[in-house]
């Protein structure tokens, strides 16, 4: 009985508003079907998570040529997560109409569509339509005099060397080798970032810590001395803002370092840490199972003891008026990314958001999430991280996995379905600024993931592995980047991916940026994508996603606002592809030439009607 029913939650013909709804907003639903015939009653069955279902009778709209159309409008009076399906009754039985994996409806037993209802009004962010660039400060660029402030550190002079990955004498990976990148170095490269279309720099942790990665915070109120000073951070923020570039910091509040003012396991600080005394003011911040040698840790790594975000003193320390977030946001920050936010309580997340927006109403608050942030169940409790005063948005790992899957094997149907559920489940404001990642400091490099690395198994082999089919892999990188830049959300580029850097897992994905040895062809591609987003910012910031042809290795879709439409074709089908466009003349924005009507295999076209195309202004030559 499949295909006898039509309901598509991401199509205005069947549901408005698209995606989530706000409290009290009319929600209109339309259901079409040809079987069963002669229905007696049709119902919408709407269930708020954790409550009893409510059945709403739908109204007959039309009965033409054996196709029935039923509709209704309903208002939801409280925020939360809802699920719904339809029921069609005739004289003999009742049929249930629910979602299947393809987001199509079918008769018989099916799943539920999700409806997210929030009390938040839609509010665009300064990052919508932009480009975010992730930087690990130690590995980006050395600015000014080299800083060497730690007695225990290994200071490397081989910028192109492999980060240390072998265990030390204690059998641990110390992460205490430093290459010298710093905040002044990032400031010196702002022109490069501006030319690449970057509108926001996301810095991995910069606060005082023992390691090179700084996820083991030692002091939240001090910039790490190997990165510079608070004045250096102020200077970076000020000069970045002048160029239209925001700076956001990584807020690692789910844990600290064991070598910190707060825990002080090694006695490095003058404070009395939680590991030194149960009378320490920081004792309640941590989760000891047996004081002082057994405690909860991030990834069971004992150098990163977990904090208790429900502890009132810890909450105040981070989110109070004189707290961590307020102090640094006052310098002009554009926002924060909260590390592993599923380990933070809802109340603490709300307080973090409020603390940042108290200092800067435009501050954008992200959360690191690896699953759907609208319906996660943790310890039997449903959690939603992007509604009712919580995060603006999250990292978009569902897109990452399915973009890479499409590029590897051409599964466009799966990618389109994933886009559909993200657009349906998340509030639009969260979709518009969602961080679309293809790689970061925790994952293998994009070029490595998409290339042929040969048969490498040991860590020593992975440390020095190089992609063997680099030319072919570069084509796949370009396809993936094109999707990252044109799908709903904001691309978040990991430093060096835009010049084809390689590397397996941490720390091989954390090599230094190869200044002077970049893959210029890939860099040119990313620069072009950044320019297209800048020139068509409103379409890519807030334009609706509509799949046109997303089968057989082709992603042909459009991004549409009331004023403009941009078509995107990413062809991974194995043959040429001819997109069907409305009659007219079109320009390919990847090269600003007339669109020839054909997109070659492993190629991309970003297309706009010529009459509406805004060509970028050519720079005037300086008068000598």
């Amino acid at each position: 009985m499949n295909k006898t029913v039509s309901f598509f939650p991401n199509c205005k013909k069947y549901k408005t508003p698209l995606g989530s709804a706000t409290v009290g907003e009319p929600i209109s639903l339309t259901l079409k079907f040809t079987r069963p015939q002669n229905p007696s009653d049709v119902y919408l069955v709407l269930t708020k998570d954790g409550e009893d279902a409510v059945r709403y009778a739908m109204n007959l709209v039309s009965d033409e040529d054996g196709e029935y159309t039923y509709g209704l409008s309903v208002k939801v009076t409280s925020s939360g997560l809802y699920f719904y399906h339809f029921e069609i009754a005739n004289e003999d039985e009742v049929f249930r109409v629910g979602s299947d994996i393809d987001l199509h409806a079918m008769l018989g037993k099916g799943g539920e569509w999700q409806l997210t209802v929030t009390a938040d009004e839609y509010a665009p962010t300064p990052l919508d339509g932009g480009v975010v660039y992730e930087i690990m400060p130690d590995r980006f660029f050395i600015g000014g005099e080299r800083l060497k402030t730690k007695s225990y550190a290994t200071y490397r002079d081989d910028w192109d060397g492999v980060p240390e990955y072998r265990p030390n004498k204690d059998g641990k990976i110390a992460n205490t080798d430093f290459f010298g990148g710093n905040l002044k170095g990032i400031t010196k490269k702002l022109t490069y970032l501006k030319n690449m279309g970057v509108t926001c720099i996301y810095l991995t942790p910069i606060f005082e810590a023992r390691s090179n990665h700084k996820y083991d915070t030692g002091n939240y109120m001090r910039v790490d001395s190997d990165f510079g000073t608070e004045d250096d951070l102020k200077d970076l923020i000020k000069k970045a803002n002048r160029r239209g570039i925001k700076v956001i910091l990584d807020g690692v509040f789910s844990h600290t370092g064991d070598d910190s003012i707060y825990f002080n396991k090694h006695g490095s600080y003058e404070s009395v840490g939680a590991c030194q005394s149960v009378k320490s003011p920081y004792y309640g911040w941590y989760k000891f199972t047996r004081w002082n040698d057994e405690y909860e840790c991030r990834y069971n790594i004992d150098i990163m003891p977990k904090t208790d975000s429900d502890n009132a003193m810890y909450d105040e320390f981070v989110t109070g008026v004189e707290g961590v977030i307020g102090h640094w946001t006052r310098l002009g920050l554009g926002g924060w990314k909260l590390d592993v936010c599923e380990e933070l309580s809802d109340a603490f997340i709300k307080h973090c958001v409020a603390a940042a927006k108290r200092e800067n109403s435009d501050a954008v608050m992200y959360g690191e999430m690896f699953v759907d942030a609208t319906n996660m169940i943790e310890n039997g409790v449903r959690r939603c991280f992007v509604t009712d005063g919580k995060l603006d948005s999250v990292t978009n790992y569902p897109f990452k996995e399915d973009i890479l899957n499409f590029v590897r094997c051409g599964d466009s149907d799966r990618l389109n379905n994933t886009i559909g559920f993200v657009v349906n489940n998340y509030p639009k404001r969260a979709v518009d600024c969602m961080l679309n990642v293809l790689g970061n400091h925790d994952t293998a490099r994009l070029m490595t993931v998409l290339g042929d690395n040969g048969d490498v198994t040991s860590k020593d082999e992975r440390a020095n592995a190089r992609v063997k089919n680099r030319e072919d892999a570069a084509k796949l990188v370009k396809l993936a980047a094109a999707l990252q830049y044109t799908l709903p959300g904001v691309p978040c580029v990991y430093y060096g991916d835009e010049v084809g850097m390689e590397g397996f897992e941490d720390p091989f994905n954390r090599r230094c940026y190869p200044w002077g040895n970049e893959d210029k062809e890939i860099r040119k591609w990313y620069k072009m994508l950044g320019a297209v987003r800048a020139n068509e910012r409103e379409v890519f910031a807030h334009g609706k996603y509509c799949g046109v042809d997303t089968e057989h290795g082709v992603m042909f879709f459009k991004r549409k606002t009331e004023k403009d439409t941009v078509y995107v074709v990413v062809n991974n089908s194995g043959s040429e592809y001819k997109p069907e466009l409305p009659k007219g003349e079109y320009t390919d924005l990847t090269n600003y030439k007339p669109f020839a009507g054909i997109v070659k295999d492993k190629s991309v076209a970003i297309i706009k009607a010529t009459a509406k195309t805004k060509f970028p202004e050519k720079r005037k030559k300086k008068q000598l």
Side-chain angles (χ1 to χ4, degrees):
M1 301 179 74
N2 195 13
K3 296 186 179 180
T4 61
V5 176
S6 295
F7 177 74
F8 303 95
N10 290 323
C11 177
K12 284 186 176 180
K13 182 178 178 181
Y14 296 94
K15 176 180 175 286
T16 59
L18 299 178
S20 68
T22 55
V23 172
E25 179 180 18
I27 303 167
S28 297
L29 300 167
T30 299
L31 180 70
K32 295 177 180 288
F33 57 94
T34 56
R35 297 172 63 187
Q37 295 180 342
N38 301 316
S40 56
D41 295 290
V42 178
Y43 295 96
L44 164 71
V45 183
L46 183 66
T47 307
K48 186 174 184 180
D49 190 43
E51 298 184 4
D52 293 334
V54 179
R55 299 169 82 241
Y56 297 88
M58 300 184 72
N59 303 310
L60 177 64
V61 177
S62 67
D63 175 7
E64 299 179 1
D65 300 324
E67 181 181 72
Y68 303 94
T69 300
Y70 278 76
L72 90 161
S73 179
V74 62
K75 291 183 180 180
V76 177
T77 57
S78 62
S79 62
L81 198 62
Y82 293 76
F83 299 94
Y84 65 97
H85 65 272
F86 302 97
E87 291 179 356
I88 305 172
N90 62 10
E91 292 182 358
D92 300 320
E93 55 187 318
V94 176
F95 297 88
R96 186 180 191 278
V97 181
S99 66
D100 67 5
I101 195 170
D102 293 323
L103 291 181
H104 295 169
M106 55 191 301
L107 291 175
K109 187 177 181 180
E112 301 267 0
W113 285 282
Q114 179 177 315
L115 174 65
T116 306
V117 180
T118 176
D120 304 318
E121 296 295 330
Y122 177 82
T125 78
L127 300 190
D128 296 359
V131 176
V132 177
Y133 190 82
E134 179 189 350
I135 295 176
M136 296 193 74
D138 184 59
R139 308 295 162 83
F140 190 61
F141 190 68
I142 302 172
E145 184 179 351
R146 177 80 181 269
L147 302 174
K148 299 180 180 181
T149 66
K150 296 175 173 57
S151 60
Y152 59 82
T154 300
Y155 288 102
R156 305 279 296 269
D157 294 318
D158 54 335
W159 185 257
D160 60 349
V162 179
E164 185 54 62
Y165 61 94
R166 300 176 183 87
N168 61 19
K169 59 182 177 60
D170 298 321
K172 295 182 179 181
I173 307 298
N175 289 307
T176 52
D177 56 330
F178 294 82
F179 287 86
N182 51 32
L183 295 176
K184 285 184 176 179
I186 299 169
T187 303
K188 286 195 172 185
K189 291 299 181 180
L190 287 174
T191 299
Y192 165 74
L193 297 175
K194 180 69 175 179
N195 289 340
M196 293 300 296
V198 172
T199 61
C200 177
I201 297 168
Y202 151 47
L203 296 178
T204 58
I206 63 168
F207 302 134
E208 181 174 282
R210 182 178 178 84
S211 72
N212 49 42
H213 56 70
K214 308 301 175 195
Y215 280 92
D216 53 333
T217 308
N219 186 343
Y220 288 108
M221 303 305 288
R222 184 179 295 171
V223 171
D224 191 90
S225 54
D226 275 352
F227 291 167
T229 65
E230 184 168 321
D231 285 340
D232 293 333
L233 178 61
K234 289 179 182 177
D235 190 54
L236 169 60
I237 293 171
K238 180 179 178 181
K239 291 178 178 177
N241 285 343
R242 284 179 185 170
R243 291 168 169 83
I245 299 173
K246 304 293 183 181
V247 177
I248 62 176
L249 297 185
D250 206 331
V252 185
F253 302 124
S254 64
H255 59 273
T256 69
D258 68 338
D259 191 11
S260 65
I261 288 179
Y262 323 107
F263 202 75
N264 209 11
K265 184 175 183 178
H266 308 288
S268 302
Y269 292 88
E270 294 182 358
S271 63
V272 178
C275 195
Q276 296 170 304
S277 173
V278 295
K279 295 182 179 180
S280 166
Y282 310 113
Y283 175 76
W285 291 16
Y286 298 94
K287 301 177 180 180
F288 288 97
T289 53
R290 188 180 70 184
W291 187 84
N292 62 358
D293 59 349
E294 290 184 10
Y295 46 89
E296 293 184 26
C297 312
R298 178 66 178 153
Y299 298 129
N300 292 319
I301 302 172
D302 64 0
I303 68 166
M304 295 191 291
K306 285 185 179 180
T307 55
D308 181 1
S309 62
D310 283 325
N311 179 274
M313 289 181 63
Y314 182 65
D315 190 328
E316 179 68 16
F317 172 75
V318 175
T319 71
V321 174
E322 299 302 322
V324 177
I325 289 179
H327 174 80
W328 297 107
T329 305
R330 278 192 286 274
L331 300 188
L333 285 180
W336 295 76
K337 191 219 77 174
L338 301 184
D339 190 54
V340 288
C341 66
E342 72 271 15
E343 295 189 356
L344 304 173
S345 71
D346 286 350
F348 182 80
I349 290 172
K350 277 190 172 185
H351 296 165
C352 288
V353 173
K357 294 184 184 289
R358 185 169 59 230
E359 303 298 336
N360 175 11
S361 60
D362 287 333
V364 183
M365 299 298 288
Y366 286 107
E368 180 186 43
M369 290 290 298
F370 297 92
V371 297
D372 188 334
T374 66
N375 57 27
M376 175 183 175
I377 297 178
E378 183 181 36
N379 298 324
V381 177
R382 181 85 69 179
R383 299 188 67 186
C384 184
F385 295 85
V386 289
T387 60
D388 300 340
K390 294 196 278 293
L391 301 168
D392 290 302
S393 199
V394 294
T395 48
N396 191 1
Y397 279 91
F399 274 19
K400 172 184 181 291
E401 296 307 321
D402 287 333
I403 287 174
L404 295 178
N405 181 65
F406 166 76
V407 169
R408 288 192 194 102
C409 59
D411 192 346
S412 46
D413 194 46
R414 174 176 161 181
L415 175 56
N416 186 56
N417 291 338
T418 298
I419 298 165
F421 94 70
V422 167
V423 170
N424 181 70
N425 290 4
Y426 285 76
K428 188 176 189 307
R429 60 171 178 76
V431 173
D432 288 347
C433 66
M434 188 170 285
L435 288 181
N436 292 341
V437 296
L438 292 179
N440 59 25
H441 62 277
D442 287 326
T443 64
R445 287 278 179 181
L446 182 59
M447 176 66 76
T448 298
V449 169
L450 297 177
D452 177 6
N453 301 281
D455 185 16
V456 292
T457 55
S458 72
K459 221 168 184 182
D460 287 337
E461 290 173 325
R462 294 198 299 278
N464 298 289
R466 290 292 179 269
V467 170
K468 300 181 183 303
N469 62 333
R470 190 172 171 91
E471 185 176 341
D472 291 336
K475 293 179 181 178
L476 302 185
V477 168
K478 290 180 179 180
L479 297 185
L483 289 167
Q484 181 187 27
Y485 272 67
T486 58
L487 288 175
V490 178
C492 183
V493 179
Y494 183 42
Y495 79 94
D497 275 356
E498 82 278 16
V499 294
M501 282 183 68
E502 300 178 32
F504 279 91
E505 77 282 3
D506 166 24
F508 311 126
N509 58 349
R510 300 178 182 182
R511 286 183 171 91
C512 299
Y513 187 101
W515 299 105
N517 295 299
E518 304 95 328
D519 186 319
K520 294 180 176 58
E521 191 62 31
I522 294 179
R523 183 176 66 186
K524 181 180 177 182
W525 182 257
Y526 274 84
K527 186 176 181 179
M528 176 275 296
L529 291 174
V532 169
R533 278 186 71 83
N535 201 45
E536 304 294 339
R537 185 158 184 168
E538 183 58 27
V539 163
F540 291 115
H542 305 123
K544 174 187 171 186
Y545 169 86
C546 302
V548 180
D549 184 3
T550 56
E551 296 181 344
H552 312 301
V554 173
M555 282 299 295
F556 174 27
F557 58 91
K558 60 185 177 181
R559 299 294 306 279
K560 180 178 176 59
T561 63
E562 290 184 2
K563 294 182 178 180
D564 289 309
T565 300
V566 172
Y567 297 89
V568 179
V569 182
V570 181
N571 184 10
N572 193 27
S573 67
S575 59
E576 290 184 340
Y577 179 77
K578 185 176 181 179
E580 293 186 10
L581 297 166
K583 192 173 181 179
E585 295 182 356
Y586 291 87
T587 298
D588 187 344
L589 303 182
T590 66
N591 53 28
Y592 282 95
K593 294 179 180 179
F595 177 57
I598 297 292
V599 183
K600 294 180 179 179
D601 181 41
K602 301 293 185 291
S603 295
V604 174
I606 304 174
I607 309 159
K608 189 177 181 184
T610 300
K612 295 182 179 181
T613 302
K614 301 175 184 177
F615 292 88
E617 294 183 5
K618 292 184 178 179
R619 291 184 178 179
K620 295 180 181 180
K621 293 183 179 179
K622 291 183 179 180
Q623 298 293 325
L624 298 178

